[in-house]
Amino acid sequence: MTEILDVHSHILPGIDDGAPSGKMSVEMLRTASEQGIRRIIATPHYSAFFQNTDPGRIRGLCRGLNRKAVKEGIPCRVYPGQEIMYSENALERLNRGELLTMAGSRYILIEFEPSVPYSFIYMAIRNCATQGYSPILAHVERYRSVYAPGKAQELIGQGAHLQMNFRSIVGRWNDDTARWCRKMLKQKNIHFLGTDMHNMTTRTPDVTRPLKWIERHLEADYSEQILWKNAAMILADKKIQ
Ligand SMILES: [Fe+2]
């Protein structure tokens, strides 16, 4: 079975719009592990709606979920992280230790409003890199301003890493987003994939169909990079080759 390291999830209970209960967190963890997901970075929101500024709470919830995983024999472990709605203020909070990087590394997962202008993302990536962080653009397919030719590559050149959601790869035949996602993957512009799981109904840990597409269309070496190897570099706090 293909092993997967998931860098984007809302699996921790009662902390954002993700898992509503500890019971569902365990259910999500079990379903994820049944599909080969072996490690998950929990990335609860920091945004206007969810002001999660207590890293101790996030770390504690990860420890609790890992204890349950051991008890239930689920072969998957959870690491603390955060999905940060970018602003200069958020970067200051990060510097003060009020927000979490990815699994204690210099990598940070940042998101924007879907309508964000390209120039704003560009500036944000520069700001993160200048302050010593390795920014990962969460669900890059959500930002239409990055679809213009050469823009994704330009952001990568400025130090950005691009994360795509598994389910965005498998839209319908006339789905612009899916088409762009597949093109980006074939051009090897994507560094990480994530489930962005929120629950067991609408945004689940299911990766069956996206995995099939990946196996059929991408080179084995590159697949291994985006499913595991690159994300393992986050846990090791090393640069991606
Ligand atoms: Fe998310």
Side-chain angles (χ1 to χ4, degrees), residues 4-238:
I4 300 165
L5 205 165
D6 182 5
V7 301
H8 189 160
S9 74
H10 301 270
I11 193 168
L12 298 180
I15 193 162
D16 59 5
D17 55 348
S21 66
K23 203 174 153 213
M24 187 170 286
S25 297
V26 174
E27 221 180 304
M28 287 159 77
L29 195 67
R30 184 176 288 113
T31 304
S33 80
E34 283 166 0
Q35 304 188 44
I37 298 175
R38 294 283 169 262
R39 308 215 194 301
I40 296 173
I41 303 182
T43 52
H45 287 289
Y46 164 75
S47 64
F49 294 114
F50 305 105
Q51 290 277 327
N52 285 312
T53 53
D54 180 0
R57 184 177 175 213
I58 295 171
R59 289 198 190 97
L61 287 169
C62 285
R63 276 197 298 274
L65 189 52
N66 282 328
R67 267 197 298 272
K68 284 185 194 162
V70 171
K71 199 170 143 209
E72 308 236 351
I74 302 171
C76 185
R77 294 295 174 268
V78 182
Y79 297 78
Q82 210 151 1
E83 179 179 19
I84 299 167
M85 178 60 80
Y86 178 84
S87 66
E88 291 197 5
N89 184 263
L91 268 192
E92 281 163 25
R93 288 197 134 156
L94 195 59
N95 289 335
R96 287 201 298 268
E98 295 169 17
L99 303 177
L100 282 173
T101 66
M102 297 288 272
S105 70
R106 298 302 290 177
Y107 288 90
I108 54 173
L109 184 67
I110 55 170
E111 70 164 336
F112 301 88
E113 296 296 340
S115 60
V116 61
Y118 176 77
S119 56
F120 189 82
I121 300 183
Y122 184 90
M123 181 208 64
I125 297 297
R126 292 289 299 257
N127 283 348
C128 293
T130 310
Q131 298 199 32
Y133 296 106
S134 290
I136 302 171
L137 200 45
H139 34 58
V140 59
E141 69 275 18
R142 197 174 283 183
Y143 316 114
R144 287 276 153 175
S145 60
V146 179
Y147 281 35
K151 295 298 185 201
Q153 292 86 340
E154 188 175 50
L155 292 177
I156 294 169
Q158 293 303 317
H161 297 92
L162 308 184
Q163 181 259 314
M164 183 173 280
N165 284 358
F166 277 99
R167 79 177 62 79
S168 303
I169 306 170
V170 289
R172 292 156 194 252
W173 67 271
N174 61 347
D175 182 334
D176 275 357
T177 303
R179 224 183 344 241
W180 185 79
C181 286
R182 293 168 184 182
K183 190 176 85 185
M184 285 291 110
L185 285 165
K186 285 178 178 169
Q187 293 177 354
K188 304 186 182 177
N189 286 325
I190 301 302
H191 302 89
F192 305 106
L193 291 168
T195 60
D196 200 2
M197 61 171 101
H198 277 67
N199 50 51
M200 284 301 290
T201 48
T202 51
R203 299 171 80 181
T204 74
D206 186 17
V207 292
T208 320
R209 283 180 59 222
L211 267 192
K212 271 194 189 131
W213 185 89
I214 289 167
E215 275 166 27
R216 216 170 285 161
H217 295 92
L218 301 181
E219 287 170 19
D221 273 3
Y222 178 61
S223 302
E224 211 183 319
Q225 274 174 29
I226 56 175
L227 292 172
W228 185 275
K229 281 186 172 170
N230 288 349
M233 291 294 111
I234 297 178
L235 299 189
D237 198 10
K238 286 187 179 155

